[in-house]
Amino acid sequence: MAYYYDEPSRTFSEYLLVPGYSSTTCVPANVTLKTPVVKFKKGEEPSITMNIPLVSAIMQSVSDDKMAVALAKEGGISFIYGSQTIEKQADMVRKVKKSKAGFVSSDSNIRPDQTLADILELKEKTGHTTVAVTEDGKPNGKLLGIVTSRDYRISRLDTNTKVSEFMTPIEKIIYAKEGISLKEANNVIWDNKLNALPVIDENQRMVGFVFRKDYDSHKENPLELLDSSKRYVVGAGINTRDFAERIPALVEAGADVVCIDSSEGFSEWQKLTIEWVRKTYGDKVKIGAGNIVDREGFRFLADAGADFIKIGIGGGSICITRETKGIGRGQATAVIEVAKARDEYFAETGVYIPICSDGGIVHDYHLTLALAMGCDFCMLGRYFSRFDESPTNKVMVNGSYMKEYWGEGSARARNWQRYDLGGATKLSFEEGVDSYVPYAGSLHDNLSVTLSKIRSTMCNCGALSIPEMQQKAKLTLVSSVSIVEGGAHDVVLKDKTISPV
């Protein structure tokens, strides 16, 4: 006879937080949202920590290099989708690592015997206006000069003009020698009113650039998430089929963490994938696994060696796994049970494995509930898909701007690997839909509001950090009528577009 759970599984909308005592120091400005991403031993620090508890979903319609840069600026991590060729995914990772800061290797280079036409073509390709003129046109060639947009006017210069005729030669360039610190380099930039400072070695070979805009960017984004080389932190999705080829390419490209993208993680396929990573890289490569929804699933992946574990089956807004296959669990119940299992594992082993709630987030307050219930961070798809930075088209639907959004289990994504059970190399049936979501504008503006709500709610509970929130939070189940009571009711709402007479 099948095993029956005594209680129904529940969603986030069935819970509310009960306020706790707030001291005068409990104000949003004092709240920290730092959270661990990968496992660590008691008394030690995790090798990867985020400044906000949000990551973007491993989806074609959500996470590419543009989203990764935008979210890293805010303190989170994007997991670039894996349902594409290894080369394309690695290239996206590479773009993210090159887009930031400190000492940036030059990816816009040209020879002095090339022409203005080549400069314009290179600018179109890379989007960069600062070009290093090297002897051989390579990133580490001997630096002969620099070309910026101030060195030429298209209307006054023939496109066949040689670069050597209009470039700023090295004799007139302010540059730095290899070994200079980032602080010293920024001082040179400010003292000399430069936009870019080339760095060369003792043989005049190009090492890289330091850009003024990166200094400005850091000041505007104090929570931005950087690695030890001052580059943006980025994640990448993998599958349990081609991991032996995909992971080395992603690691070489600079991925900080990878995650198995699967609808169901309680399987030997994931164990074999993690074992291969440990045998090949030891603990140097960080790998997340999932998805699971109960204690058993957590213990299986924890024992297999996962660095973090994702929770959630069938709760995504574009996921139809539950109605297609009748499998899954209410997200709130799943998070609560797995959080207890995580704490048990920590007490037994002294190893803390972060857990990620993936799916089931409809409203901003659901994020705070998920954190209070025990998750360390949340993975969001629909939320991020609405923004300018997502890779999908903005379209007009019935007079309103929308963004396209489709599931990895849809016919459009054709990501059969995510639902692979060792069978045929195709998508047998759909577990996701193709849809639209309301366009919401920029990531920064919307995320600022969401994070403000989280910080404010934490203060209502008397907590200044996520661990403190989990210790102090009091949760109550709510009835269907109290859910109605919680919204605007028994009033006629004013039309916000009508001005008072």
Side-chain angles (χ1 to χ4, degrees):
M1 183 178 174
Y3 176 82
Y4 289 88
Y5 287 90
D6 294 331
E7 295 290 330
S9 64
R10 301 188 181 277
T11 67
F12 293 128
S13 290
E14 294 179 79
Y15 288 91
L16 285 176
L17 284 158
V18 176
Y21 169 74
S22 301
S23 69
T24 54
T25 62
C26 211
V27 294
N30 292 336
V31 172
T32 174
L33 295 177
K34 280 184 176 290
T35 192
V37 179
V38 296
K39 68 182 178 184
F40 59 95
K41 292 180 180 178
K42 188 175 183 179
E44 297 181 355
E45 291 294 321
S47 59
I48 304 176
T49 300
M50 286 191 296
N51 292 324
I52 63 171
L54 302 178
V55 300
S56 66
I58 311 169
M59 299 175 69
Q60 293 175 9
S61 55
V62 179
S63 298
D64 64 352
D65 51 295
K66 187 178 179 182
M67 176 62 73
V69 170
L71 187 51
K73 284 182 178 179
E74 305 297 332
I77 297 176
S78 250
F79 284 84
I80 292 177
Y81 69 93
S83 51
Q84 58 179 322
T85 66
I86 294 173
E87 293 74 22
K88 287 183 178 179
Q89 188 185 22
D91 188 53
M92 284 188 181
V93 170
R94 206 171 283 113
K95 285 179 180 177
V96 177
K97 302 308 281 191
K98 284 184 176 180
S99 66
K100 178 62 198 174
F103 298 92
V104 182
S105 59
S106 177
D107 61 356
S108 291
N109 310 281
I110 204 160
R111 298 189 313 274
D113 61 336
Q114 290 181 269
T115 66
L116 176 59
D118 295 318
I119 287 283
L120 297 176
E121 184 180 345
L122 188 60
K123 181 182 176 183
E124 180 70 23
K125 180 181 177 182
T126 65
H128 298 156
T129 57
T130 300
V131 179
V133 183
T134 59
E135 199 169 50
D136 56 5
K138 294 181 179 179
N140 300 114
K142 185 177 181 180
L143 183 66
L144 302 178
I146 296 289
V147 174
T148 70
S149 56
R150 291 179 294 183
D151 290 313
Y152 60 86
R153 288 181 66 180
I154 300 173
S155 60
R156 294 191 177 187
L157 202 61
D158 190 284
T159 55
N160 291 317
T161 306
K162 299 287 187 185
V163 170
S164 58
E165 295 181 31
F166 61 87
M167 72 181 189
T168 302
I170 191 165
E171 295 81 16
K172 296 182 179 180
I173 295 171
I174 296 174
Y175 56 84
K177 288 292 184 74
E178 188 176 19
I180 190 173
S181 71
L182 183 58
K183 183 177 181 179
E184 290 169 335
N186 280 320
N187 286 339
V188 173
I189 286 174
W190 284 94
D191 291 343
N192 295 279
K193 299 180 180 179
L194 305 174
N195 288 323
L197 177 70
V199 181
I200 60 176
D201 66 14
E202 57 184 12
N203 297 314
Q204 201 178 311
R205 301 184 72 83
M206 190 70 185
V207 173
F209 280 106
V210 178
F211 290 100
R212 173 192 287 263
K213 66 179 177 63
D214 291 331
Y215 178 87
D216 294 338
S217 174
H218 181 67
K219 294 303 178 184
E220 292 169 6
N221 301 286
L223 295 179
E224 64 181 353
L225 196 59
L226 307 176
D227 65 16
S228 58
S229 300
K230 304 296 183 182
R231 303 173 301 175
Y232 289 125
V233 173
V234 61
I238 61 169
N239 62 67
T240 57
R241 283 270 180 163
D242 64 8
F243 58 85
E245 294 79 39
R246 190 174 293 270
I247 293 176
L250 295 172
V251 171
E252 189 276 330
D256 298 278
V257 57
V258 298
C259 182
I260 302 172
D261 181 29
S262 174
S263 65
E264 210 280 287
F266 196 174
S267 77
E268 189 175 6
W269 301 105
Q270 297 219 359
K271 181 181 178 183
L272 293 172
T273 303
I274 298 169
E275 286 177 348
W276 181 89
V277 169
R278 295 291 173 248
K279 183 178 179 181
T280 308
Y281 296 101
D283 292 326
K284 291 182 180 178
V285 169
K286 305 301 180 183
I287 179 170
N291 286 15
I292 50 86
V293 291
D294 62 5
R295 181 182 182 278
E296 274 188 286
F298 172 85
R299 294 294 297 220
F300 174 79
L301 291 177
D303 292 339
D307 286 295
F308 70 85
I309 294 171
K310 282 204 294 131
I311 309 162
I313 295 177
S317 60
I318 40 68
C319 184
I320 55 173
T321 293
R322 294 181 191 175
E323 64 182 81
T324 302
K325 295 166 65 175
I327 194 165
R329 199 177 196 190
Q331 189 69 2
T333 299
V335 169
I336 291 168
E337 181 173 322
V338 174
K340 288 179 181 177
R342 186 266 322 278
D343 292 343
E344 289 173 8
Y345 189 86
F346 181 54
E348 291 174 22
T349 66
V351 176
Y352 187 92
I353 303 177
I355 55 176
C356 168
S357 177
D358 177 18
I361 302 295
V362 181
H363 306 291
D364 286 347
Y365 81 89
H366 288 170
L367 293 167
T368 319
L369 284 170
L371 295 170
M373 290 171 180
C375 84
D376 297 279
F377 54 99
C378 298
M379 179 172 277
L380 306 174
R382 182 195 61 84
Y383 178 89
F384 288 114
S385 71
R386 303 172 301 146
F387 304 145
D388 290 319
E389 293 82 0
S390 75
T392 61
N393 296 318
K394 183 172 75 171
V395 296
M396 183 75 79
V397 179
N398 296 328
S400 300
Y401 279 115
M402 311 288 280
K403 290 275 282 186
E404 295 176 307
Y405 181 46
W406 61 92
E408 290 297 290
S410 67
R412 181 171 184 173
R414 299 182 182 277
N415 185 8
W416 61 268
Q417 294 97 331
R418 189 175 198 276
Y419 302 88
D420 180 34
L421 297 175
T425 57
K426 64 179 182 179
L427 195 67
S428 300
F429 52 87
E430 289 186 286
E431 292 190 46
V433 298
D434 198 342
S435 64
Y436 297 107
V437 290
Y439 167 67
S442 76
L443 181 149
H444 175 77
D445 292 343
N446 286 274
L447 188 57
S448 294
V449 174
T450 297
L451 296 176
S452 293
K453 292 178 183 177
I454 294 174
R455 292 188 182 100
S456 180
T457 305
M458 288 172 63
C459 287
N460 292 145
C461 296
L464 293 175
S465 69
I466 293 172
E468 189 179 8
M469 174 72 165
Q470 293 166 351
Q471 292 170 7
K472 292 185 174 181
K474 294 180 289 184
L475 290 153
T476 181
L477 279 168
V478 293
S479 67
S480 59
V481 289
S482 65
I483 292 172
V484 174
E485 180 188 61
H489 60 90
D490 301 313
V491 293
V492 177
L493 295 178
K494 292 182 179 179
D495 186 341
K496 293 181 181 179
T497 61
I498 300 176
S499 300
V501 177

